[in-house]
Amino acid sequence: HTKRVHQYMPSAPFEDYYEVLGLQRGASKAEVSRAYRKLSLEVHPDRYKGPDPDGAVARFLKLTQAKEVLEDDKARAAFDAVVDAKAAHRARQEAQEGGRRKMREELEAREAAAKAAKFAPSAAAAAAKEERERESAEAAARAELQREIERLRRTGRLDPTRPAAAAPAAAA
């Protein structure tokens, strides 16, 4: 037995024969023939007098191939099947792209939330900060109270030797 080696030949770019002839899909054989006749006269190698004869020959060959495929029932059915398959493939690709877009947006949202959580203080850190601020405010209030008590002692209004009831009378 001989092993067959399959070589992948790059396929020619897809040519939409309806588009080549300027027709809508489902055109009749008569419409195909009329379109071919009209377009082929412009680029026929024996009649073309323009600046690009090689391009005209290539265009003429494309027109001829399009006409041959679209006028033959079996070839046209095969071509239409390819067109349908390409349309279905394009629709699947677009649906997948929509899914990819949604997944990408969800991922970006999760990343943004994780980044915000990383740089935002945690609940425990926020509670500890509040506790430190409360303790600091309490310490400041105690220091202020201590200063006021010292001021009252200096002015004699707060004399530890005087009874509590006599202190207001002496001050008056």
Coordinates of all heavy atoms in Angstrom, one line a residue, residues 25-97:
R25 N -29.7 36.6 -6.2 CA -29.8 35.2 -6.1 C -31.2 34.7 -6.5 O -32.2 35.3 -6.2 CB -29.6 34.7 -4.6 CG -29.4 33.3 -4.5 CD -28.9 32.9 -3.1 NE -28.8 31.5 -3.1 CZ -28.6 30.8 -2.0 NH1 -28.5 31.4 -0.8 NH2 -28.6 29.5 -2.0
G26 N -31.2 33.6 -7.3 CA -32.5 33.1 -7.8 C -32.8 33.6 -9.2 O -33.9 33.4 -9.6
A27 N -31.9 34.3 -9.8 CA -32.1 34.8 -11.2 C -32.3 33.6 -12.1 O -31.8 32.5 -12.0 CB -30.9 35.6 -11.6
S28 N -33.2 33.8 -13.1 CA -33.5 32.8 -14.1 C -32.3 32.6 -15.0 O -31.4 33.4 -15.1 CB -34.7 33.1 -14.9 OG -34.4 34.3 -15.7
K29 N -32.3 31.5 -15.8 CA -31.2 31.2 -16.8 C -31.2 32.3 -17.8 O -30.1 32.7 -18.3 CB -31.4 29.8 -17.4 CG -31.1 28.7 -16.5 CD -31.3 27.4 -17.2 CE -31.0 26.2 -16.3 NZ -31.2 24.9 -16.9
A30 N -32.4 32.8 -18.2 CA -32.4 33.9 -19.2 C -31.8 35.1 -18.7 O -31.0 35.8 -19.5 CB -33.9 34.1 -19.6
E31 N -32.0 35.5 -17.4 CA -31.4 36.6 -16.8 C -29.9 36.5 -16.8 O -29.1 37.4 -17.0 CB -31.9 36.9 -15.4 CG -33.4 37.4 -15.4 CD -34.0 37.4 -14.0 OE1 -33.7 36.5 -13.2 OE2 -34.7 38.4 -13.8
V32 N -29.4 35.2 -16.4 CA -28.0 34.9 -16.4 C -27.4 35.2 -17.8 O -26.3 35.8 -17.9 CB -27.7 33.5 -15.9 CG1 -26.3 33.1 -16.1 CG2 -28.2 33.4 -14.4
S33 N -28.0 34.6 -18.8 CA -27.5 34.7 -20.1 C -27.5 36.2 -20.6 O -26.5 36.6 -21.2 CB -28.4 33.9 -21.1 OG -27.9 34.0 -22.4
R34 N -28.5 37.0 -20.3 CA -28.5 38.4 -20.7 C -27.4 39.2 -20.0 O -26.7 40.0 -20.6 CB -29.9 39.0 -20.4 CG -30.9 38.9 -21.4 CD -32.1 39.8 -21.2 NE -32.7 39.6 -19.9 CZ -33.8 38.7 -19.7 NH1 -34.3 38.1 -20.7 NH2 -34.3 38.6 -18.5
A35 N -27.2 38.9 -18.7 CA -26.2 39.6 -17.9 C -24.8 39.3 -18.5 O -24.0 40.1 -18.6 CB -26.3 39.3 -16.5
Y36 N -24.6 38.0 -18.8 CA -23.3 37.6 -19.3 C -23.0 38.2 -20.6 O -21.9 38.8 -20.8 CB -23.3 36.0 -19.4 CG -22.1 35.6 -20.2 CD1 -20.8 35.5 -19.6 CD2 -22.2 35.2 -21.5 CE1 -19.7 35.1 -20.3 CE2 -21.0 34.7 -22.2 CZ -19.8 34.7 -21.6 OH -18.7 34.3 -22.3
R37 N -24.0 38.2 -21.5 CA -23.8 38.8 -22.9 C -23.4 40.3 -22.7 O -22.5 40.7 -23.4 CB -25.1 38.6 -23.7 CG -24.8 38.2 -25.1 CD -26.1 37.9 -25.9 NE -26.8 36.8 -25.4 CZ -28.1 36.9 -25.0 NH1 -28.8 38.0 -25.1 NH2 -28.7 35.8 -24.6
K38 N -24.2 41.0 -21.9 CA -24.0 42.4 -21.8 C -22.6 42.7 -21.2 O -21.8 43.6 -21.7 CB -25.0 43.0 -20.8 CG -24.9 44.5 -20.6 CD -25.9 45.0 -19.6 CE -25.7 46.4 -19.2 NZ -26.5 46.9 -18.2
L39 N -22.2 42.0 -20.1 CA -20.9 42.3 -19.4 C -19.7 41.7 -20.2 O -18.6 42.4 -20.3 CB -20.9 41.7 -18.0 CG -21.9 42.3 -17.1 CD1 -22.0 41.5 -15.8 CD2 -21.5 43.8 -16.8
S40 N -19.9 40.6 -20.9 CA -18.8 40.0 -21.6 C -18.4 40.8 -22.9 O -17.2 40.8 -23.3 CB -19.1 38.6 -22.0 OG -20.1 38.5 -23.0
L41 N -19.3 41.5 -23.4 CA -19.0 42.4 -24.6 C -18.0 43.5 -24.2 O -17.2 43.9 -25.1 CB -20.3 42.9 -25.2 CG -21.1 42.0 -26.0 CD1 -22.4 42.6 -26.5 CD2 -20.4 41.4 -27.2
E42 N -18.1 43.9 -23.0 CA -17.2 45.0 -22.5 C -15.8 44.6 -22.4 O -14.8 45.4 -22.6 CB -17.7 45.6 -21.2 CG -19.1 46.2 -21.3 CD -19.6 46.6 -19.9 OE1 -18.8 46.5 -18.9 OE2 -20.8 47.0 -19.8
V43 N -15.6 43.3 -22.0 CA -14.2 42.8 -21.7 C -13.8 41.7 -22.6 O -12.7 41.0 -22.3 CB -14.1 42.4 -20.2 CG1 -14.2 43.6 -19.3 CG2 -15.1 41.4 -19.9
H44 N -14.5 41.4 -23.7 CA -14.1 40.3 -24.6 C -12.7 40.5 -25.1 O -12.4 41.6 -25.6 CB -15.1 40.1 -25.7 CG -15.0 38.9 -26.5 ND1 -14.0 38.7 -27.5 CD2 -15.6 37.7 -26.4 CE1 -14.1 37.5 -27.9 NE2 -15.1 36.8 -27.3
P45 N -11.8 39.5 -25.1 CA -10.5 39.7 -25.6 C -10.3 40.3 -27.0 O -9.4 41.0 -27.3 CB -9.8 38.4 -25.4 CG -10.7 37.6 -24.4 CD -12.0 38.2 -24.5
D46 N -11.3 39.9 -27.9 CA -11.2 40.4 -29.3 C -11.7 41.8 -29.4 O -11.4 42.4 -30.4 CB -12.0 39.4 -30.2 CG -11.4 38.0 -30.3 OD1 -10.2 37.9 -30.0 OD2 -12.2 37.1 -30.6
R47 N -12.5 42.3 -28.5 CA -13.1 43.6 -28.7 C -12.5 44.7 -27.7 O -12.7 45.9 -27.9 CB -14.6 43.5 -28.4 CG -15.2 42.6 -29.4 CD -16.7 42.5 -29.3 NE -17.2 43.8 -29.8 CZ -18.5 44.2 -29.7 NH1 -19.4 43.4 -29.3 NH2 -18.9 45.3 -30.2
Y48 N -11.8 44.2 -26.7 CA -11.4 45.2 -25.6 C -10.2 46.0 -26.2 O -9.2 45.5 -26.7 CB -10.9 44.4 -24.4 CG -10.5 45.3 -23.2 CD1 -11.4 45.9 -22.5 CD2 -9.1 45.5 -22.9 CE1 -11.0 46.7 -21.4 CE2 -8.7 46.3 -21.9 CZ -9.7 46.9 -21.1 OH -9.3 47.7 -20.1
K49 N -10.3 47.3 -26.0 CA -9.3 48.3 -26.5 C -8.8 49.1 -25.3 O -8.2 50.2 -25.6 CB -9.9 49.2 -27.5 CG -10.5 48.5 -28.7 CD -9.5 48.4 -29.8 CE -10.2 47.9 -31.1 NZ -10.1 46.5 -31.3
G50 N -9.0 48.8 -24.1 CA -8.6 49.6 -22.9 C -7.2 49.4 -22.6 O -6.4 48.6 -23.2
P51 N -6.8 50.0 -21.4 CA -5.4 50.0 -21.0 C -4.9 48.7 -20.3 O -3.7 48.5 -20.2 CB -5.3 51.2 -20.0 CG -6.7 51.3 -19.5 CD -7.6 50.9 -20.6
D52 N -5.8 47.8 -19.9 CA -5.5 46.6 -19.2 C -6.0 45.4 -19.8 O -7.0 44.8 -19.4 CB -6.0 46.8 -17.7 CG -5.5 45.6 -16.8 OD1 -4.6 44.9 -17.2 OD2 -6.2 45.4 -15.8
P53 N -5.4 44.9 -20.9 CA -5.9 43.7 -21.6 C -5.9 42.5 -20.7 O -6.7 41.6 -20.8 CB -5.1 43.6 -22.8 CG -3.9 44.4 -22.6 CD -4.2 45.5 -21.6
D54 N -4.8 42.3 -19.9 CA -4.7 41.1 -19.0 C -5.9 41.1 -18.0 O -6.5 40.1 -17.7 CB -3.4 41.1 -18.3 CG -2.2 40.9 -19.3 OD1 -2.5 40.3 -20.3 OD2 -1.1 41.3 -18.9
G55 N -6.2 42.3 -17.4 CA -7.3 42.4 -16.5 C -8.6 42.1 -17.2 O -9.5 41.5 -16.6
A56 N -8.8 42.5 -18.4 CA -10.0 42.3 -19.2 C -10.2 40.8 -19.4 O -11.3 40.2 -19.3 CB -10.0 43.0 -20.5
V57 N -9.1 40.1 -19.8 CA -9.1 38.6 -20.0 C -9.5 37.9 -18.7 O -10.4 37.0 -18.7 CB -7.8 38.1 -20.5 CG1 -7.7 36.6 -20.5 CG2 -7.5 38.6 -21.9
A58 N -9.0 38.3 -17.6 CA -9.3 37.7 -16.3 C -10.8 37.9 -16.0 O -11.5 37.0 -15.5 CB -8.4 38.3 -15.2
R59 N -11.2 39.1 -16.2 CA -12.7 39.5 -15.9 C -13.6 38.6 -16.9 O -14.6 38.1 -16.4 CB -12.9 41.0 -16.2 CG -14.3 41.4 -16.1 CD -14.7 41.8 -14.6 NE -16.0 42.4 -14.7 CZ -17.0 42.0 -14.0 NH1 -16.9 40.9 -13.2 NH2 -18.2 42.6 -14.0
F60 N -13.2 38.5 -18.1 CA -14.0 37.7 -19.1 C -14.0 36.3 -18.6 O -15.1 35.6 -18.7 CB -13.3 37.8 -20.5 CG -14.1 37.0 -21.5 CD1 -15.2 37.5 -22.1 CD2 -13.6 35.8 -22.0 CE1 -15.9 36.8 -23.0 CE2 -14.3 35.1 -22.9 CZ -15.4 35.6 -23.5
L61 N -12.9 35.7 -18.2 CA -12.9 34.3 -17.7 C -13.8 34.2 -16.5 O -14.5 33.1 -16.3 CB -11.5 33.9 -17.4 CG -10.6 33.7 -18.7 CD1 -9.2 33.4 -18.2 CD2 -11.1 32.7 -19.6
K62 N -13.8 35.1 -15.6 CA -14.7 35.1 -14.4 C -16.1 35.1 -14.8 O -17.0 34.4 -14.3 CB -14.4 36.2 -13.4 CG -13.2 36.1 -12.6 CD -13.1 37.3 -11.6 CE -11.8 37.3 -10.9 NZ -11.6 38.4 -10.0
L63 N -16.5 36.0 -15.8 CA -17.8 36.1 -16.3 C -18.3 34.7 -16.9 O -19.4 34.3 -16.7 CB -18.0 37.2 -17.3 CG -17.9 38.6 -16.7 CD1 -17.7 39.6 -17.8 CD2 -19.1 38.9 -15.9
T64 N -17.4 34.1 -17.7 CA -17.7 32.9 -18.4 C -17.9 31.8 -17.3 O -18.9 31.0 -17.4 CB -16.5 32.5 -19.3 OG1 -16.4 33.6 -20.3 CG2 -16.9 31.2 -20.1
Q65 N -17.0 31.7 -16.3 CA -17.2 30.7 -15.3 C -18.5 30.9 -14.5 O -19.2 29.9 -14.3 CB -16.0 30.7 -14.3 CG -16.1 29.6 -13.3 CD -14.8 29.6 -12.4 OE1 -14.0 30.5 -12.5 NE2 -14.7 28.6 -11.6
A66 N -18.8 32.1 -14.2 CA -20.1 32.4 -13.5 C -21.3 32.0 -14.3 O -22.2 31.3 -13.8 CB -20.2 33.9 -13.2
K67 N -21.3 32.3 -15.6 CA -22.4 31.9 -16.5 C -22.5 30.4 -16.6 O -23.6 29.8 -16.5 CB -22.1 32.4 -17.9 CG -23.2 32.0 -18.9 CD -22.9 32.3 -20.3 CE -21.9 31.5 -20.9 NZ -22.3 30.4 -21.7
E68 N -21.4 29.7 -16.7 CA -21.4 28.2 -16.8 C -22.0 27.6 -15.6 O -22.8 26.6 -15.6 CB -20.0 27.7 -17.1 CG -19.5 28.0 -18.5 CD -20.3 27.5 -19.6 OE1 -20.9 26.4 -19.5 OE2 -20.4 28.2 -20.6
V69 N -21.6 28.1 -14.4 CA -22.0 27.5 -13.2 C -23.5 27.8 -13.0 O -24.3 26.9 -12.6 CB -21.2 28.0 -12.0 CG1 -21.9 27.7 -10.6 CG2 -19.8 27.5 -12.0
L70 N -24.0 29.0 -13.2 CA -25.3 29.4 -13.0 C -26.3 28.9 -14.0 O -27.5 28.8 -13.7 CB -25.5 30.9 -12.8 CG -24.7 31.5 -11.6 CD1 -24.9 33.0 -11.6 CD2 -25.2 30.9 -10.3
E71 N -25.9 28.5 -15.2 CA -26.8 27.9 -16.2 C -26.9 26.4 -16.0 O -27.9 25.9 -16.5 CB -26.3 28.3 -17.6 CG -26.6 29.7 -18.0 CD -26.2 30.0 -19.4 OE1 -25.5 29.3 -20.0 OE2 -26.7 31.1 -19.9
D72 N -26.0 25.8 -15.4 CA -26.1 24.3 -15.2 C -26.8 24.1 -13.8 O -26.4 24.6 -12.8 CB -24.7 23.7 -15.1 CG -24.7 22.2 -15.0 OD1 -24.8 21.5 -16.0 OD2 -24.6 21.7 -13.8
D73 N -27.9 23.3 -13.9 CA -28.7 23.0 -12.7 C -27.9 22.4 -11.5 O -28.0 22.9 -10.4 CB -29.9 22.2 -13.0 CG -30.9 22.9 -13.9 OD1 -30.9 24.2 -13.9 OD2 -31.6 22.3 -14.7
K74 N -27.1 21.4 -11.8 CA -26.4 20.7 -10.7 C -25.3 21.6 -10.1 O -25.1 21.7 -8.9 CB -25.8 19.4 -11.2 CG -26.8 18.3 -11.4 CD -26.0 17.0 -11.8 CE -27.0 15.9 -11.9 NZ -26.4 14.6 -12.3
A75 N -24.6 22.3 -11.0 CA -23.5 23.2 -10.6 C -24.1 24.3 -9.8 O -23.5 24.8 -8.8 CB -22.7 23.7 -11.8
R76 N -25.2 24.8 -10.2 CA -25.9 26.0 -9.5 C -26.4 25.5 -8.1 O -26.2 26.2 -7.2 CB -27.1 26.5 -10.3 CG -27.7 27.7 -9.8 CD -28.8 28.2 -10.7 NE -29.2 29.5 -10.2 CZ -29.8 30.4 -11.0 NH1 -30.1 30.1 -12.3 NH2 -30.2 31.5 -10.5
A77 N -26.9 24.3 -8.0 CA -27.3 23.8 -6.7 C -26.1 23.6 -5.8 O -26.2 24.0 -4.6 CB -28.1 22.4 -6.9
A78 N -25.0 23.2 -6.3 CA -23.8 23.0 -5.5 C -23.3 24.4 -5.1 O -22.9 24.6 -3.9 CB -22.7 22.3 -6.3
F79 N -23.3 25.4 -6.0 CA -22.9 26.7 -5.7 C -23.8 27.3 -4.6 O -23.3 27.9 -3.6 CB -22.9 27.6 -6.9 CG -22.6 29.0 -6.6 CD1 -21.3 29.4 -6.3 CD2 -23.5 30.0 -6.7 CE1 -21.0 30.7 -6.0 CE2 -23.2 31.3 -6.4 CZ -21.9 31.7 -6.1
D80 N -25.1 27.2 -4.8 CA -26.1 27.7 -3.8 C -25.9 27.1 -2.4 O -26.0 27.7 -1.4 CB -27.5 27.5 -4.3 CG -27.9 28.5 -5.4 OD1 -27.2 29.5 -5.6 OD2 -28.9 28.2 -6.1
A81 N -25.5 25.8 -2.4 CA -25.2 25.1 -1.1 C -24.0 25.7 -0.5 O -24.0 25.9 0.8 CB -25.0 23.6 -1.4
V82 N -23.0 26.0 -1.3 CA -21.8 26.7 -0.7 C -22.2 28.1 -0.2 O -21.7 28.5 0.9 CB -20.7 26.8 -1.8 CG1 -19.5 27.7 -1.3 CG2 -20.1 25.4 -2.1
V83 N -23.0 28.8 -0.9 CA -23.4 30.2 -0.4 C -24.1 30.0 0.9 O -23.9 30.8 1.8 CB -24.2 30.9 -1.5 CG1 -24.8 32.1 -1.0 CG2 -23.3 31.2 -2.7
D84 N -25.1 29.1 0.9 CA -25.8 28.8 2.2 C -24.9 28.5 3.3 O -25.1 29.0 4.5 CB -26.9 27.8 2.0 CG -28.0 28.2 1.0 OD1 -28.2 29.4 0.8 OD2 -28.7 27.3 0.5
A85 N -23.9 27.6 3.1 CA -23.0 27.2 4.1 C -22.2 28.4 4.6 O -22.0 28.5 5.8 CB -22.1 26.1 3.6
K86 N -21.8 29.2 3.7 CA -21.0 30.4 4.1 C -21.9 31.3 4.9 O -21.4 31.9 5.9 CB -20.4 31.1 2.9 CG -19.2 30.4 2.3 CD -18.6 31.3 1.3 CE -17.2 30.9 1.0 NZ -16.2 31.0 2.0
A87 N -23.1 31.5 4.5 CA -24.0 32.4 5.3 C -24.2 31.8 6.7 O -24.2 32.6 7.7 CB -25.3 32.5 4.6
A88 N -24.4 30.5 6.8 CA -24.6 29.9 8.1 C -23.4 30.0 9.0 O -23.4 30.3 10.2 CB -25.0 28.4 7.9
H89 N -22.2 29.8 8.3 CA -20.9 30.0 9.1 C -20.8 31.4 9.6 O -20.4 31.6 10.7 CB -19.8 29.6 8.1 CG -18.4 29.8 8.8 ND1 -17.9 29.0 9.7 CD2 -17.5 30.8 8.5 CE1 -16.8 29.4 10.1 NE2 -16.5 30.5 9.4
R90 N -21.1 32.4 8.7 CA -21.0 33.8 9.1 C -21.9 34.1 10.3 O -21.6 34.8 11.2 CB -21.3 34.7 7.9 CG -21.0 36.1 8.1 CD -21.1 37.0 6.9 NE -22.0 36.6 5.8 CZ -21.6 35.9 4.7 NH1 -20.3 35.6 4.6 NH2 -22.4 35.6 3.8
A91 N -23.2 33.5 10.2 CA -24.1 33.7 11.3 C -23.6 33.1 12.6 O -23.7 33.7 13.7 CB -25.5 33.1 11.0
R92 N -23.0 31.9 12.5 CA -22.4 31.3 13.7 C -21.3 32.1 14.3 O -21.2 32.3 15.5 CB -21.9 29.9 13.4 CG -23.0 28.8 13.4 CD -22.4 27.4 13.4 NE -21.4 27.2 12.4 CZ -21.6 26.8 11.1 NH1 -22.9 26.7 10.7 NH2 -20.7 26.7 10.2
Q93 N -20.4 32.6 13.4 CA -19.3 33.5 13.8 C -19.8 34.7 14.5 O -19.3 35.1 15.6 CB -18.4 33.9 12.6 CG -17.7 32.7 12.0 CD -16.6 32.2 13.0 OE1 -16.1 33.0 13.8 NE2 -16.2 31.0 12.8
E94 N -20.9 35.3 14.0 CA -21.4 36.5 14.6 C -22.0 36.2 16.0 O -21.8 37.0 16.9 CB -22.4 37.2 13.7 CG -21.8 37.8 12.5 CD -22.8 38.3 11.5 OE1 -24.0 38.2 11.7 OE2 -22.4 38.8 10.4
A95 N -22.7 35.1 16.1 CA -23.3 34.7 17.4 C -22.1 34.4 18.4 O -22.2 34.8 19.6 CB -24.1 33.4 17.2
Q96 N -21.1 33.7 17.9 CA -19.9 33.5 18.8 C -19.3 34.8 19.2 O -18.9 34.9 20.4 CB -18.9 32.5 18.2 CG -19.4 31.1 18.0 CD -18.4 30.3 17.3 OE1 -17.5 30.8 16.6 NE2 -18.6 29.0 17.3
E97 N -19.2 35.7 18.3 CA -18.5 37.0 18.6 C -19.4 37.7 19.7 O -18.8 38.3 20.6 CB -18.4 37.9 17.4 CG -17.8 39.2 17.6 CD -16.4 39.1 18.3 OE1 -15.6 38.2 18.0 OE2 -16.0 40.0 19.0

